Amino acid sequence: QNIHLVAKWLSSLEKKLEQHSEGSHQDFRVFISAEPAPSPDSHIIPQGILENSIKITNEAPTGMHANLHKALDNFNQDTLEMCTRENEFKSILFALCYFHAVVAERRKFGPQGWNRSYPFNTGDLTISVNVLYNYLDASSKVPYDDLRYLFGEIMYGGHITDDWDRRLCKTYLEEFIKPEMLEGELLLAPGFPLPGNMDYNGYHQYIDDALPPESPYLYGLHPNAEIGFLTQTSEKLFRIVLEMQPRDTSTGEGGVVTREETVKALLEEMLEKLMDEFNIAELMAKVEERTPYVVVAFQECERMNILTTEIKRSLKELDLGLKGELTMTSDMENLQNALFLDTVPESWIKRAYPSTASLGTWFADLLTRIKELEAWTGDFSLPSAVWLAGFFNPQSFLTAIMQSTARKNEWPLDKMTLQCDVTKKSREDFASPPREGAYVHGLFMEGARWDAQTGIITDARLKELTPAMPVIFIKAIPADKQDTRSMYPCPVYKTRQRGPTYVWTFNLKTRENPSKWVLAGVALLLQI
């Protein structure tokens, strides 16, 4: 609707309400429903209406308990009786309610829950139940595959835009909706079996009696997922409080350290620590053969130059502004604020790599990345263990492994894949790179941990949120030679924000069903 027309109408409504406030029927009431405005300039409900009204908000339920009851509330005893295949229909309907509650509430775990946030709604659930009724009515056997496909790829999957989220949605349905559900041995969560045949109120009662207390286990996640999500929420809150602080900080004794002094000290320290840009022409002259690895090294140097040039330019400009030799612009103000609040400035972020770090940590990390590049471009021989997180573009390095192996063995590149063998060693244990492929270090696992002794994924330890991985040996092999049995295809992301920071998929050995790690949101991270 046109917001200006609505605003105009609301002000005339306000006048009408004033006219009718006297002399009208004592039971006369006006009901208005509204939704949260996307931005402050859409806050158009007149103050007079707000002040005179009783406001009732309808908050979405939180926790599995409330969500499961609410999912079931969309139906009644008549729904349960409408299908002749009563047993199958009721079992799948209850499993769908649990699935609906899980996918809606899993959002609260941030990127470890879902890579992106989706608007799942009750319509998805009620339409799925209609589809279930029509399919059961029309066939003699329960078409489990068709049902899962319709629910997971169309009804709920229609909202999903990320491939890993699609895999998660599909895995939940494979766990919840399968032939075993009619044999009374299906667990929807640890300690919560799928109930047998009951009436409508019986199901509500069953939820109250049998559902374990709220915990990440109800979603297939490890308890660490909650610690991570709560830590991030509180960090966000403290960051907002910090940003609201008055701009000057006094240090008692009448001495005041001004913002300018704080920023100036930081600025000088950064300029002093930044090295010169990489001299690409000089480096090119040193190289005999432009191997795939050398090409990656040059690309990285170019990107690093773009970033460090901008850092120096903006810092020098701000320095002149603080000295009064240049007029302060809004860009300089923003840079000054960022330095003062220990956040990475906007113009640097644009030219850098994804990162969730504060400025101090980010800058130290930047210097380490430059050192790694300097060491590599010193003689262009591959480091004995490569720090994968140190690249602007880790994909290009992983692709280079395939390209150089393909050239060496004269294999077609499109028929190749990477094999990851997790070693039992750390980077100090390697003195030289492997004959083919590369050793990479500096990865972390979230959602589980790697057991170096047995060489498989295993349950995380409590409070160890992102345990470090040993060095991984990565080499290229023909795709038809890869072993996919007892493997969990594990996504690798640059940061804990996951989603768009996706890099590659590493197959990791597992003794347990890979679906366990899918539901637990297990991923490898290049930085934490």
Side-chain angles (χ1 to χ4, degrees), residues 20-83:
H20 292 301
S21 62
E22 288 170 18
S24 48
H25 192 283
Q26 64 179 36
D27 290 339
F28 169 65
R29 300 284 183 277
V30 173
F31 290 90
I32 301 179
S33 65
E35 60 182 11
S39 61
D41 52 335
S42 324
H43 293 170
I44 54 167
I45 300 179
Q47 204 166 346
I49 294 183
L50 288 173
E51 282 172 357
N52 292 319
S53 59
I54 296 169
K55 289 167 282 297
I56 299 168
T57 57
N58 178 15
E59 294 278 330
T62 59
M64 271 310 285
H65 197 267
N67 268 284
L68 190 48
H69 276 301
K70 191 168 181 233
L72 201 54
D73 285 342
N74 291 294
F75 311 104
N76 52 34
Q77 187 55 34
D78 293 347
T79 323
L80 296 184
E81 289 170 3
M82 74 185 195
C83 185

Side-chain angles (χ1 to χ4, degrees), residues 108-229:
K108 71 178 181 191
F109 295 101
Q112 201 180 343
W114 293 103
N115 270 339
R116 295 183 170 82
S117 191
Y118 301 110
F120 299 123
N121 56 57
T122 45
D124 302 325
L125 175 60
T126 49
I127 293 170
S128 294
V129 169
N130 286 340
V131 166
L132 169 66
Y133 169 74
N134 293 333
Y135 266 70
L136 286 182
D137 232 29
S139 60
S140 54
K141 286 213 297 275
V142 180
Y144 288 104
D145 289 346
D146 296 355
L147 290 172
R148 282 195 303 257
Y149 182 82
L150 289 163
F151 304 152
E153 300 287 338
I154 297 167
M155 304 309 165
Y156 286 85
H159 297 290
I160 297 177
T161 53
D162 178 280
D163 289 345
W164 297 99
D165 287 342
R166 190 173 292 280
R167 174 178 83 161
L168 172 64
C169 175
K170 211 171 131 196
T171 305
Y172 268 131
L173 289 164
E174 283 164 1
E175 292 297 302
F176 294 164
I177 297 176
K178 51 186 179 184
E180 292 88 300
M181 64 195 305
L182 300 175
E183 291 147 30
E185 48 196 59
L186 184 87
L187 287 178
L188 292 169
F192 190 59
L194 181 74
N197 193 336
M198 303 177 180
D199 67 1
Y200 182 71
N201 293 336
Y203 283 127
H204 273 299
Q205 191 58 50
Y206 178 77
I207 297 169
D208 284 337
D209 296 343
L211 186 68
E214 180 67 19
S215 86
Y217 285 126
L218 298 179
Y219 309 84
L221 288 157
H222 187 275
N224 284 351
E226 193 162 44
I227 301 175
F229 136 78

Side-chain angles (χ1 to χ4, degrees), residues 308-325:
T308 53
T309 306
E310 169 58 21
I311 294 177
K312 285 179 193 166
R313 184 204 65 76
S314 57
L315 288 176
K316 284 174 183 162
E317 181 183 66
L318 176 59
D319 192 30
L320 292 172
L322 292 175
K323 285 178 181 156
E325 293 173 25

Side-chain angles (χ1 to χ4, degrees), residues 201-429:
N201 293 336
Y203 283 127
H204 273 299
Q205 191 58 50
Y206 178 77
I207 297 169
D208 284 337
D209 296 343
L211 186 68
E214 180 67 19
S215 86
Y217 285 126
L218 298 179
Y219 309 84
L221 288 157
H222 187 275
N224 284 351
E226 193 162 44
I227 301 175
F229 136 78
L230 290 172
T231 310
Q232 279 159 343
T233 311
S234 51
E235 277 172 4
K236 211 167 171 181
L237 177 68
F238 285 130
R239 159 83 36 211
I240 292 166
V241 172
L242 174 68
E243 286 170 5
M244 291 165 73
Q245 292 296 310
R247 296 306 196 191
D248 273 344
T249 50
S250 97
T251 56
E253 300 285 298
V256 174
V257 177
T258 61
R259 272 169 74 81
E260 277 80 9
E261 283 165 19
T262 312
V263 168
K264 207 160 173 356
L266 188 59
L267 177 155
E268 284 166 0
E269 186 193 353
M270 287 180 152
L271 282 171
E272 196 182 316
K273 286 186 176 167
L274 274 176
M275 298 71 152
D276 291 334
E277 273 85 60
F278 288 96
N279 185 330
I280 309 260
E282 215 171 86
L283 291 174
M284 281 190 169
K286 280 204 309 197
V287 173
E288 284 147 33
E289 189 199 349
R290 286 183 70 111
T291 66
Y293 293 125
V294 169
V295 172
V296 172
F298 282 144
Q299 285 169 350
E300 290 291 319
C301 290
E302 276 164 11
R303 297 230 8 212
M304 188 56 86
N305 283 354
I306 292 168
L307 174 58
T308 53
T309 306
E310 169 58 21
I311 294 177
K312 285 179 193 166
R313 184 204 65 76
S314 57
L315 288 176
K316 284 174 183 162
E317 181 183 66
L318 176 59
D319 192 30
L320 292 172
L322 292 175
K323 285 178 181 156
E325 293 173 25
L326 273 181
T327 314
M328 288 289 274
T329 61
S330 62
D331 282 349
M332 287 148 82
E333 295 264 336
N334 291 342
L335 176 59
Q336 186 180 354
N337 282 340
L339 295 181
F340 185 69
L341 293 169
D342 195 28
T343 58
V344 185
E346 197 55 43
S347 74
W348 304 4
I349 290 175
K350 269 208 210 86
R351 294 163 176 80
Y353 27 82
S355 170
T356 53
S358 59
L359 179 59
T361 319
W362 183 90
F363 192 73
D365 173 76
L366 171 75
L367 297 178
T368 316
R369 287 166 181 258
I370 295 172
K371 273 203 193 73
E372 288 277 315
L373 261 181
E374 283 185 331
W376 189 13
T377 52
D379 60 355
F380 286 102
S381 61
L382 200 60
S384 52
V386 175
W387 180 38
L388 197 56
F391 293 105
F392 281 83
N393 185 354
Q395 289 94 320
S396 65
F397 178 75
L398 294 170
T399 308
I401 295 179
M402 294 208 288
Q403 288 168 331
S404 59
T405 310
R407 279 186 192 179
K408 200 166 158 184
N409 301 321
E410 296 181 347
W411 292 340
L413 191 60
D414 58 352
K415 300 273 195 313
M416 300 192 51
T417 186
L418 289 183
Q419 177 177 306
C420 315
D421 294 323
V422 184
T423 70
K424 292 186 178 177
K425 299 174 178 173
S426 60
R427 60 179 295 202
E428 292 76 30
D429 302 328

